[in-house]
Amino acid sequence: MHRTRKYKAINLTFGVLPFIAGVLIAQFPEDSGPIQSWLSISERKTPIGFGNAVVMETTLESTMDVATGFSRLFGSLGQVTGVAISSALFQTVLERELRKQIHDLDAEGVYILFSSHLQTLPVDQQQMVRHSYDVGLKAVFWFATFFTLLAYIIC
């Protein structure tokens, strides 16, 4: 990279990896066991980390001084707003799914399920809650995947 100065080609080649990994994570099966989940998520997160690292490094190498500062500023703002929006999206989708899955649930009951009381529920309701969490997490991963694609297109 330093020798050839072909930053754009490297960005375009490796910048698509976070999008691909996001699609794989968003399609993760709900009924995976703990070992399969750990191995599979680790395997799918590698392209995200590698792609982001390459893009960040080439950006820093190709845009020095003030541009690097602005790159870091907008990256930090994106992280903060991304976490806030993702959290709001997750909570909204989770609550909607919980209400859809468990019909006799009142507003107070929904928020009890947000805490660690899952094991106190009947087995059939535990499965409904797990499904609701799965739907909420997938919504967040699709949201993030969309923005990785948007970042790649802008790149």
Side-chain angles (χ1 to χ4, degrees):
M1 177 180 73
H2 225 19
R3 184 176 46 81
T4 63
R5 299 279 188 224
K6 295 192 180 206
Y7 302 108
K8 186 173 183 176
I10 293 171
N11 265 343
L12 293 177
T13 302
F14 293 100
V16 74
L17 290 177
F19 170 73
I20 293 169
V23 169
L24 292 173
I25 290 172
Q27 295 177 345
F28 191 74
E30 179 182 344
D31 57 351
S32 300
I35 293 173
Q36 179 189 6
S37 297
W38 185 81
L39 290 172
S40 194
I41 288 173
S42 298
E43 171 186 297
R44 290 172 178 165
K45 284 178 68 176
T46 301
I48 291 174
F50 188 69
N52 286 340
V54 170
V55 170
M56 178 61 80
E57 185 60 33
T58 57
T59 302
L60 292 176
E61 287 290 327
S62 63
T63 58
M64 296 298 168
D65 301 334
V66 176
T68 300
F70 277 110
S71 174
R72 293 288 185 161
L73 171 69
F74 288 117
S76 297
L77 286 173
Q79 289 172 349
V80 170
T81 56
V83 168
I85 293 169
S86 295
S87 177
L89 175 65
F90 175 72
Q91 291 175 12
T92 301
V93 172
L94 176 61
E95 183 174 353
R96 184 191 71 216
E97 285 298 313
L98 284 171
R99 289 185 187 282
K100 189 188 307 182
Q101 293 288 326
I102 305 173
H103 302 290
D104 59 344
L105 199 61
D106 60 355
E108 185 178 321
V110 169
Y111 293 105
I112 289 172
L113 294 177
F114 279 86
S115 66
S116 61
H117 294 88
L118 179 64
Q119 299 303 326
T120 63
L121 295 173
V123 176
D124 61 328
Q125 285 188 349
Q126 286 181 21
Q127 184 59 32
M128 291 176 193
V129 171
R130 284 189 180 98
H131 175 74
S132 299
Y133 272 84
D134 182 62
V135 171
L137 286 171
K138 285 183 177 178
V140 170
F141 281 117
W142 281 117
F143 168 77
T145 300
F146 168 76
F147 279 98
T148 59
L149 178 62
L150 183 62
Y152 179 71
I153 291 168
I154 290 170
C155 177

